[in-house]
Amino acid sequence: MNIKKSLLIIMVFIGVILACTPDEIEFTVPPPRDRTEQQIADNDSLLNYLETHYYNKSAFADTSLDYSVDDIVIMELPKDSEGNYLELPDPDDNELLINDVVTLTTSFQDTTYDYYVLDLNPDAIGPEPNFTDDVSIIYSGQLPNGTVFDSTPNAITLDLIQVIPGWRDVLQDFNTAEDGPTVNPDGTIGYSNYGFGVMFLPSGLAYFNAPPGGAGIAPYTNLIFKFELYDAAPNDHDNDGVLSHFEDLNGNNNITDDDTDEDDIPNFFDPDDDGDGVLTINEDLNNDGDPTNDDSDMDGIPNYLDEDSTESNETE
């Protein structure tokens, strides 16, 4: 692939420049459309895709084995000479996607989205990631026409706050590996019994009207990702002693809109969440590594979020 960096990453506060070559397709970024109207069109397209494409289901019959994204083969139904779809070939081996995917719903940018997930290893038992974790993953991204626009042959680590929104919704519902990491004889890292599947995302949970330059992705394109989810590790993005997923105070899976002291710095990037002049890390009075359980004035608000806590008991 010509893209040297993951096309998934969308930085919250800084841009990412993606390498591209002159022969890659460029698209002009159009003005954003109404998200609700676009979601209706995207969902119709996704349902049509799922109803007219199938996968090699029997290839994953042995649940004791660990499979890879390369083992997943998605094909379009055959057509007759007039372009009409024919019946599913080899139904003992294949299955229509629409029969095996799970329909899920989320809210993003004040819009309700349906998206679809094919879970090929429901027996994975490792812990599920938080939506702000680093995840270790292998993936392959493709367009509905089958063109692969990005892939990684080896596991990479991605911060889930820096990926397209659909990834956060999907991956926090999948389990990580039961065992690993182990070092294979060839020096690669191995895992077993990991989260494994395919996600089918509308453009509103992907790049919407502004896909990354040089990727060959047109605006308003639905995307498909095969993936192997290996591991997850919680983040503390501002090193204040409070894990980032705990800084989602309103519980909406969006840590950018939680700003206790209203200083335009969200709590997960703010080392002094309540703006009282005492760093959050120093409001851990009992020194247990957790500032969330210290409440000097016993008002039910932990000191690190309480500007009016008894500061005489705090260490600056």
Side-chain angles (χ1 to χ4, degrees):
M1 298 296 295
N2 291 321
I3 307 294
K4 300 302 184 183
K5 296 183 179 180
S6 168
L7 300 181
L8 296 168
I9 297 178
I10 301 177
M11 299 300 291
V12 177
F13 293 107
I14 61 175
V16 175
I17 298 176
L18 296 171
C20 61
T21 59
D23 60 339
E24 289 174 326
I25 300 173
E26 298 285 353
F27 295 96
T28 301
V29 176
R33 298 172 182 169
D34 179 271
R35 279 187 170 267
T36 299
E37 293 179 1
Q38 185 61 40
Q39 166 58 8
I40 294 172
D42 285 349
N43 194 54
D44 287 345
S45 295
L46 281 172
L47 288 173
N48 179 70
Y49 180 92
L50 297 170
E51 291 167 353
T52 59
H53 288 72
Y54 63 97
Y55 77 105
N56 53 332
K57 181 174 183 175
S58 67
F60 310 103
D62 189 343
T63 58
S64 67
L65 299 178
D66 292 318
Y67 299 99
S68 76
V69 295
D70 293 333
D71 296 321
I72 306 171
V73 180
I74 297 176
M75 297 156 283
E76 187 176 17
L77 286 172
K79 297 179 181 179
D80 62 22
S81 59
E82 297 180 352
N84 300 307
Y85 283 108
L86 302 175
E87 292 185 359
L88 176 71
D90 303 319
D92 290 338
D93 294 325
N94 302 313
E95 184 59 82
L96 284 174
L97 289 168
I98 193 66
N99 293 334
D100 279 4
V101 296
V102 175
T103 305
L104 299 170
T105 302
T106 190
S107 179
F108 180 68
Q109 297 282 326
D110 297 322
T111 303
T112 299
Y113 286 97
D114 288 337
Y115 60 99
Y116 304 90
V117 175
L118 178 64
D119 188 352
L120 293 175
N121 184 24
D123 295 329
I125 60 173
E128 297 174 345
N130 300 297
F131 74 102
T132 59
D133 284 2
D134 283 342
V135 295
S136 177
I137 194 168
I138 282 179
Y139 69 89
S140 176
Q142 68 181 59
L143 307 179
N145 66 8
T147 299
V148 175
F149 63 86
D150 191 21
S151 64
T152 172
N154 300 307
I156 63 171
T157 298
L158 295 172
D159 184 343
L160 286 181
I161 72 165
Q162 296 176 352
V163 301
I164 57 177
W167 271 54
R168 288 190 291 276
D169 287 307
V170 171
L171 294 182
Q172 64 180 314
D173 289 332
F174 270 74
N175 297 88
T176 54
E178 177 181 4
D179 296 309
T182 59
V183 180
N184 298 319
D186 61 0
T188 59
I189 302 299
Y191 295 84
S192 64
N193 195 22
Y194 40 79
F196 178 57
V198 189
M199 64 179 88
F200 304 86
L201 303 178
S203 70
L205 296 180
Y207 297 112
F208 202 50
N209 67 313
I217 304 172
Y220 306 112
T221 298
N222 300 330
L223 298 180
I224 301 160
F225 292 95
K226 308 171 185 178
F227 61 90
E228 304 164 37
L229 177 62
Y230 294 150
D231 202 0
N235 272 315
D236 178 4
H237 288 92
D238 54 5
N239 296 310
D240 66 352
V242 182
L243 294 177
S244 293
H245 63 277
F246 290 132
E247 307 229 45
D248 177 27
L249 302 182
N250 57 17
N252 67 348
N253 276 13
N254 178 12
I255 53 175
T256 66
D257 64 358
D258 299 275
D259 182 10
T260 298
D261 56 9
E262 298 183 349
D263 62 353
D264 295 326
I265 303 174
N267 288 358
F268 83 103
F269 264 174
D270 191 346
D272 179 9
D273 290 338
D274 58 4
D276 64 354
V278 181
L279 295 178
T280 296
I281 194 68
N282 291 333
E283 304 209 54
D284 176 23
L285 302 186
N286 57 15
N287 295 312
D288 66 349
D290 181 11
T292 67
N293 60 14
D294 298 272
D295 182 9
S296 297
D297 57 9
M298 305 295 291
D299 64 353
I301 304 174
N303 290 350
Y304 84 102
L305 296 176
D306 188 357
E307 186 180 4
D308 298 325
S309 62
T310 306
E311 295 185 11
S312 61
N313 292 331
E314 298 170 354
T315 302
E316 298 203 26

